[in-house]
Amino acid sequence: LAKTTQPISMDSYEGQEVNITCSHNNIATNDYITWYQQFPSQGPRFIIQGYKTKVTNEVASLFIPADRKSSTLSLPRVSLSDTAVYYCLVEANDYKLSFGAGTTVTVRA
Amino acid sequence: NAGVTQTPKFRVLKTGQSMTLLCAQDMNHEYMYWYRQDPGMGLRLIHYSVGEGTTAKGEVPDGYNVSRLKKQNFLLGLESAAPSQTSVYFCASSYSQGAFGYTFGSGTRLTVV
């Protein structure tokens, strides 16, 4: 399993863009980068996945540089409801996912 | 469409008691998992199943047993509860390998006193 490193916490204000960078120096060729979001008292939910370059959906964008040793999850114009824990995972066809402590994002009014 | 349903949502046990946590999914997923979440430690895999009738140990299996007699159900058992098993338990399912497409339940908060 490729190890990931992400900040423990980040603070932001409503309307700002939040960028969370995840380091995965030992990523393998067939590893995908996946992000999950967890609200208090709920299970995690999938938000975005990518392999290289940029991926965008209605929730977030994921930026992956050419060397793939890091990735950045971008949350545009956050609101109070985006306060959650965000997990970065790097796995390749492995159903045994490992979640680290994640990044706690706190959005303030 | 219920997704993944966990019962019960809350439970308090005395040390040494036993209980079973039930996880049910209605998405016809092959893979099912049990995780526990403790403060500041993320989620840790307890046991998982890759299909009906199969089970396997995860990262922290000691003190737990599981069964997958039906494809849609995955049961987690505690034979003799200990205070160290106080945690929030999450069940998840997926239709394939890989990090994409996990669906989690809303969790069971278990306290062992």
Side-chain angles (χ1 to χ4, degrees):
Chain A
L1 301 176
K3 181 179 179 180
T4 62
T5 303
Q6 53 183 121
I8 294 175
S9 64
M10 297 182 71
D11 288 344
S12 184
Y13 291 92
E14 285 189 293
Q16 290 187 336
E17 179 181 79
V18 172
N19 296 307
I20 309 170
T21 297
C22 179
S23 297
H24 27 80
N25 292 320
N26 298 321
I27 191 169
T29 302
N30 56 349
D31 282 338
Y32 278 77
I33 301 156
T34 309
W35 286 80
Y36 276 75
Q37 175 190 56
Q38 184 178 24
F39 297 116
S41 301
Q42 295 185 26
R45 69 170 187 137
F46 170 89
I47 49 175
I48 200 165
Q49 184 182 62
Y51 184 80
K52 60 180 179 180
T53 64
K54 176 183 175 182
V55 179
T56 297
N57 62 22
E58 66 278 4
V59 177
S61 294
L62 179 60
F63 299 90
I64 305 168
D67 66 6
R68 302 198 332 120
K69 294 185 182 298
S70 67
S71 59
T72 299
L73 176 73
S74 180
L75 306 172
R77 298 179 298 282
V78 294
S79 64
L80 295 176
S81 62
D82 291 314
T83 293
V85 179
Y86 293 83
Y87 299 95
C88 169
L89 292 88
V90 177
E91 310 289 349
N93 294 321
D94 190 346
Y95 38 74
K96 303 184 297 296
L97 296 188
S98 293
F99 291 76
T103 298
T104 299
V105 173
T106 303
V107 180
R108 306 181 191 280
Chain B
N1 187 359
V4 175
T5 303
Q6 292 182 232
T7 54
K9 295 188 182 304
F10 303 93
R11 185 72 184 269
V12 178
L13 283 180
K14 293 183 178 179
T15 298
Q17 286 185 321
S18 63
M19 79 163 294
T20 300
L21 282 67
L22 172 63
C23 176
Q25 54 96 2
D26 61 1
M27 297 168 286
N28 203 34
H29 284 173
E30 288 292 335
Y31 304 90
M32 297 189 74
Y33 320 82
W34 276 107
Y35 287 87
R36 61 176 288 173
Q37 185 170 37
D38 301 299
M41 296 188 70
L43 288 88
R44 293 182 291 171
L45 182 64
I46 305 171
H47 285 281
Y48 64 97
S49 169
V50 301
E52 181 178 310
T54 74
T55 63
K57 294 180 180 180
E59 181 184 358
V60 289
D62 294 342
Y64 305 95
N65 57 75
V66 288
S67 65
R68 183 109 181 260
L69 299 180
K70 294 183 179 181
K71 186 178 184 179
Q72 64 269 31
N73 296 333
F74 195 29
L75 279 63
L76 178 71
L78 287 74
E79 292 187 348
S80 180
S84 60
Q85 294 177 305
T86 294
S87 188
V88 180
Y89 293 86
F90 287 100
C91 176
S93 69
S94 67
Y95 58 85
S96 66
Q97 297 180 3
F100 176 80
Y102 265 52
T103 301
F104 281 83
S106 58
T108 295
R109 185 173 296 275
L110 175 66
T111 302
V112 183
V113 298

